[in-house]
């Protein structure tokens, strides 16, 4: 099968009946959804609805309890033999995780490293890229996120929005096929949100497949290709962002949107 055909037929993310519990609390109650290659897929919903947990399951930061989760046609965290699933070793999971970039609410930058050193670290340590090559690429990425002049600054010398843009550059340095964003603007002062969303718009226009947990309804409406409203660990409603946001069909969606729009 050629790459083009594969792209046409295999979704980048496919979730089949995914369940996740923390002790007695069931957080995901059978999630079914698909994210196409090149799509910006937005997840919205109240706190505690399971959005961030689902995102963390996609790259196996959380292990699912039931169901199947695939990225680019391959099972996440497991291999299947016959009817049985066998958990992959940590080293195998880490290898697959290299293809998935993740940007968290908190920036998680190394405080003792400059912006450019933060971006260089993973390609050098994980992929074995030469330091010179990694630095060149890191500078390109910092330019792309509008921070070429901040390469030598430490995180403590950067605003929250600038730190988040460094975190995006760091994720891109691994050349991922999929980017996950977990409420990337929720910890930022309002005036810093726009710069981060501009970088995400640029990524979307370049064709990056993105799954975005967000409270930024304007971004979802303008940039999103698909939108899912989750509540209580289930998908309540899904569709094109403009349709869901302007004409929600479910009472629960209407109630939520009336409070946030």
């Amino acid at each position: 099968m050629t790459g083009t055909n594969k792209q046409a037929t295999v979704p980048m993310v496919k979730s089949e009946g995914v369940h996740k519990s923390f002790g007695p609390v069931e957080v995901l109650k059978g999630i079914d959804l698909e994210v196409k290659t090149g799509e910006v897929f937005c997840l919205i919903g109240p706190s505690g609805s399971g959005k961030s947990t689902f995102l963390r399951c996609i790259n196996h930061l959380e292990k699912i309890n039931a169901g199947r989760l695939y990225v680019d046609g391959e099972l996440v965290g497991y291999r299947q033999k016959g009817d049985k699933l066998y958990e992959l070793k940590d080293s195998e999971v880490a290898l697959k995780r290299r293809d998935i970039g993740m940007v968290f609410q908190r920036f998680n930058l190394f405080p003792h490293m400059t912006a450019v050193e933060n971006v260089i670290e993973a390609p050098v340590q994980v992929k074995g890229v030469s330091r010179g090559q990694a630095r060149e690429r890191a500078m390109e990425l910092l330019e792309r996120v509008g921070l070429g002049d901040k390469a030598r600054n430490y995180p403590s010398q950067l605003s929250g929005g600038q730190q988040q843009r460094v975190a995006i550059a760091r994720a891109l340095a691994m050349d991922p096929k999929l980017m996950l964003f977990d409420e990337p603007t929720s910890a930022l002062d309002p005036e810093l949100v726009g710069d981060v969303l501009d970088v995400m718009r640029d990524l979307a226009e370049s064709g990056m497949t993105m799954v975005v947990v967000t409270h930024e309804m304007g971004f979802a409406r303008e940039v999103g290709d698909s939108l899912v409203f989750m509540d209580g660990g289930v998908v309540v409603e899904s569709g094109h962002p403009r349709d869901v946001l302007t004409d929600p069909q479910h009472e629960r969606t209407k109630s939520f949107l009336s409070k946030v729009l």
Side-chain angles (χ1 to χ4, degrees):
M1 183 183 281
T2 66
T4 315
N5 288 341
K6 183 182 176 186
Q7 277 191 359
T9 54
V10 177
M12 182 57 76
V13 179
K14 184 172 186 177
S15 175
E16 298 176 345
V18 165
H19 288 255
K20 172 66 184 175
S21 297
F22 293 103
V25 181
E26 193 175 22
V27 179
L28 300 177
K29 302 172 181 174
I31 302 294
D32 295 300
L33 56 81
E34 285 190 8
V35 180
K36 298 187 187 78
T37 299
E39 183 172 48
V40 178
F41 191 97
C42 296
L43 288 166
I44 66 168
S47 294
S49 58
K51 312 179 300 293
S52 293
T53 298
F54 178 70
L55 202 70
R56 291 169 68 85
C57 290
I58 294 175
N59 66 355
H60 207 56
L61 286 175
E62 299 289 355
K63 298 175 184 180
I64 65 176
N65 299 115
R68 297 278 193 281
L69 198 47
Y70 301 87
V71 170
D72 202 20
E74 294 189 9
L75 268 174
V76 172
Y78 300 90
R79 77 162 54 83
Q80 186 161 344
K81 275 192 178 175
D83 293 336
K84 286 194 172 175
L85 288 184
Y86 297 89
E87 194 165 351
L88 297 178
K89 295 176 190 158
D90 288 348
S91 58
E92 294 173 293
V93 171
L95 204 60
K96 289 180 182 286
R97 202 179 275 146
R98 299 191 323 185
D99 292 331
I100 304 173
M102 184 146 185
V103 178
F104 300 87
Q105 289 178 38
R106 296 285 168 188
F107 328 119
N108 297 346
L109 299 177
F110 295 116
H112 62 289
M113 292 183 180
T114 62
V116 72
E117 286 166 348
N118 265 282
V119 178
I120 285 170
E121 184 69 5
V124 170
Q125 298 299 334
V126 180
K127 280 191 160 179
V129 176
S130 77
R131 196 159 277 277
Q133 201 179 339
R135 178 173 289 274
E136 198 176 313
R137 173 82 171 125
M139 288 305 300
E140 282 172 17
L141 289 168
L142 288 172
E143 287 287 351
R144 182 174 179 182
V145 300
L147 293 173
D149 60 335
K150 302 290 186 188
R152 289 188 167 80
N153 287 43
Y154 289 90
S156 61
Q157 299 169 312
L158 301 172
S159 71
Q162 289 169 335
Q163 288 185 60
Q164 192 61 292
R165 285 184 278 153
V166 173
I168 293 172
R170 180 181 59 182
L172 291 173
M174 293 293 283
D175 294 318
K177 61 173 81 166
L178 170 65
M179 284 283 282
L180 308 177
F181 292 87
D182 188 7
E183 296 187 23
T185 58
S186 66
L188 302 180
D189 292 334
E191 69 268 24
L192 302 176
V193 167
D195 291 338
V196 173
L197 293 181
D198 286 345
V199 169
M200 292 170 66
R201 279 190 189 90
D202 172 61
L203 269 184
E205 283 165 16
S206 74
M208 174 64 74
T209 311
M210 298 159 64
V211 182
V212 185
V213 172
T214 187
H215 292 298
E216 301 291 339
M217 300 301 158
F219 175 85
R221 184 189 284 110
E222 292 163 41
V223 184
D225 299 299
S226 297
L227 182 140
V228 157
F229 171 66
M230 282 178 67
D231 189 33
V234 298
V235 172
V236 176
E237 187 162 352
S238 61
H240 190 278
R242 286 198 183 100
D243 296 338
V244 177
L245 294 173
T246 54
D247 187 24
Q249 300 302 300
H250 291 259
E251 286 307 318
R252 183 65 192 95
T253 318
K254 289 176 188 173
S255 166
F256 173 76
L257 291 174
S258 72
K259 294 182 179 76
V260 298
L261 287 178

